[in-house]
Amino acid sequence: MKKGKVLVVLLLVMALVFTAMSAFAAGGKEAGSAPAGKKTIVLLMLGMESPYWPPYVANVQKIVEAAGMNYFMFNAKFDAQLQSTQMDDAIAMRPALITVFPADSKGIAPSIKKAYDAGIPVFVCNNPPAKESEAYSIAYAGPDIYKEGVAAAEMMNDAMKGKGKVVMIEGLAGQEAQIQRANGFIDRLKELGSKIEIIARQPADWRKDKAVTVMQDFITRFGKDIEGVYGQDDTLTIGAAIALQEAGIDPKSMVLQGIGGSKEGLKAVQDGVIYGTVMQSPIVETNLVAPMAVEMVKKGMKPGDHWNPYYNYMDLPKVTAANVAQYLPGDW
């Protein structure tokens, strides 16, 4: 074969490889396909942008592969529509189990039903399923996100002695965690007869930079009227603290409350910048989720089967300066 033809063939091969790699990346896939003879557990992730998620995914992979099973992960990148498409791809793989971390519990419900109809069991984790998905999935495991809001309300009510004006910085609008962490907080304050008033609330998409911007707006609008900040995630609460410091306001002059128990959040509790957080460890969570997934596959659980109990919750300790030392440095 002449050198020119060899070069053309090589270029064509390289182009095909590049195209395949590009398609792989565009689909948000993070792990390879299953070796022959191995059972596969597919994980549909909400995203990988939060520091909570890399250790979450790594621990799931470690536990699944240690059990002699193959692991495959899709990254939805906060896109509910993309996650629905990825569910179609996962169904086409015919895995032993699909574990889904919903970007939108209601949005993914038709896809969970589609997997059920295709004869593939689905296990929901971290973000609870929509009510209609319970019949079409085996179980839920992860945090009780409503109770996280309840715990945050109890902590703020204690710290503020049952009165004061607070702002709420929320996660991704419409996501179950954003909704239930707000509902739990508001409902519990009412139950306590608290005089704490929520004077403003706004989503920041679980992002620190957006939380800084949201808090800057709150400071402009309400100034010294703000006596407390409830961030639905430590990342958001840290963002609020940054905005306060930039405005020349000492975060320690008010009550800042978070959820998550991140390394940054726990350090801020230790330093007195944040009053408290509700501990949610990705390692504790996946030490619950991943062994359950493995056991479901080993038992040969099928669509229509249900784990008993259906809802399986992780421990969510309250953390303040009084007990933060036992949780430092944190898992994420």
Side-chain angles (χ1 to χ4, degrees), residues 1-319:
M1 187 181 290
K2 294 182 179 180
K3 288 183 179 179
K5 289 184 178 180
V6 171
L7 180 60
V8 169
V9 170
L10 286 172
L11 288 172
L12 285 171
V13 170
M14 290 174 67
L16 287 169
V17 170
F18 177 79
T19 301
M21 290 176 68
S22 298
F24 185 86
K29 300 170 185 174
E30 303 290 342
S33 57
K38 275 194 174 184
K39 291 185 177 179
T40 300
I41 294 176
V42 171
L43 174 62
L44 300 184
M45 279 295 293
L46 162 67
M48 289 294 287
E49 291 75 12
S50 165
Y52 188 87
W53 296 323
Y56 185 105
V57 167
N59 201 41
V60 170
Q61 182 171 5
K62 176 184 174 182
I63 292 169
V64 168
E65 292 181 347
M69 299 177 191
N70 192 61
Y71 158 90
F72 193 101
M73 191 268 280
F74 289 86
N75 176 6
K77 303 174 183 177
F78 279 99
D79 187 331
Q81 187 172 353
L82 174 59
Q83 189 170 67
S84 294
T85 300
Q86 291 171 342
M87 178 67 91
D88 291 338
D89 293 340
I91 291 169
M93 292 172 64
R94 307 300 303 175
L97 180 72
I98 295 173
T99 302
V100 58
F101 185 142
D104 180 334
S105 295
K106 290 189 180 296
I108 199 66
S111 295
I112 291 175
K113 174 63 162 57
K114 189 182 292 186
Y116 175 91
D117 291 339
I120 299 171
V122 174
F123 175 30
V124 184
C125 61
N126 189 271
N127 201 18
K131 192 70 177 175
E132 60 265 33
S133 295
E134 291 177 6
Y136 305 117
S137 52
I138 292 177
Y140 167 77
D144 184 331
I145 51 180
Y146 180 86
K147 286 188 177 178
E148 287 179 322
V150 168
E154 292 171 347
M155 295 174 76
M156 284 201 83
N157 191 64
D158 288 345
M160 298 179 70
K161 303 188 186 311
K163 61 181 180 179
K165 295 180 179 181
V166 304
V167 293
M168 185 191 306
I169 303 180
E170 303 178 86
L172 185 65
Q175 191 189 20
E176 202 67 15
Q178 174 264 321
I179 295 167
Q180 295 304 328
R181 286 180 182 175
N183 289 347
F185 186 81
I186 293 166
D187 291 349
R188 186 57 177 151
L189 288 180
K190 288 179 181 177
E191 290 170 359
L192 292 169
S194 178
K195 293 182 180 178
I196 289 176
E197 178 188 357
I198 301 168
I199 58 175
R201 52 188 290 190
Q202 188 172 325
D205 301 346
W206 309 116
R207 287 175 49 179
K208 187 193 297 182
D209 59 335
K210 288 193 175 183
V212 172
T213 301
V214 168
M215 190 64 200
Q216 287 170 339
D217 177 60
F218 288 158
I219 293 168
T220 300
R221 290 163 58 193
F222 303 106
K224 294 182 179 179
D225 285 344
I226 301 172
E227 299 171 86
V229 180
Y230 167 39
Q232 289 190 341
D233 177 90
D234 285 350
T235 303
L236 306 181
T237 312
I238 293 292
I242 291 170
L244 288 166
Q245 290 166 339
E246 289 177 349
I249 302 169
D250 185 356
K252 297 179 183 180
S253 67
M254 61 181 70
V255 176
L256 273 63
Q257 174 67 39
I259 291 176
S262 68
K263 291 180 179 180
E264 195 173 20
L266 292 173
K267 182 65 167 58
V269 171
Q270 183 184 43
D271 294 343
V273 175
I274 292 178
Y275 167 72
T277 186
V278 181
M279 188 72 183
Q280 182 183 323
S281 161
I283 304 304
V284 171
E285 182 175 353
T286 48
N287 282 344
L288 170 66
V289 170
M292 282 180 65
V294 167
E295 191 64 19
M296 288 172 189
V297 174
K298 286 182 176 179
K299 287 183 174 180
M301 296 186 78
K302 305 295 183 187
D305 293 340
H306 293 288
W307 193 273
N308 186 20
Y310 179 88
Y311 283 96
N312 302 267
Y313 297 120
M314 61 191 289
D315 290 334
L316 301 166
K318 296 176 181 177
V319 181

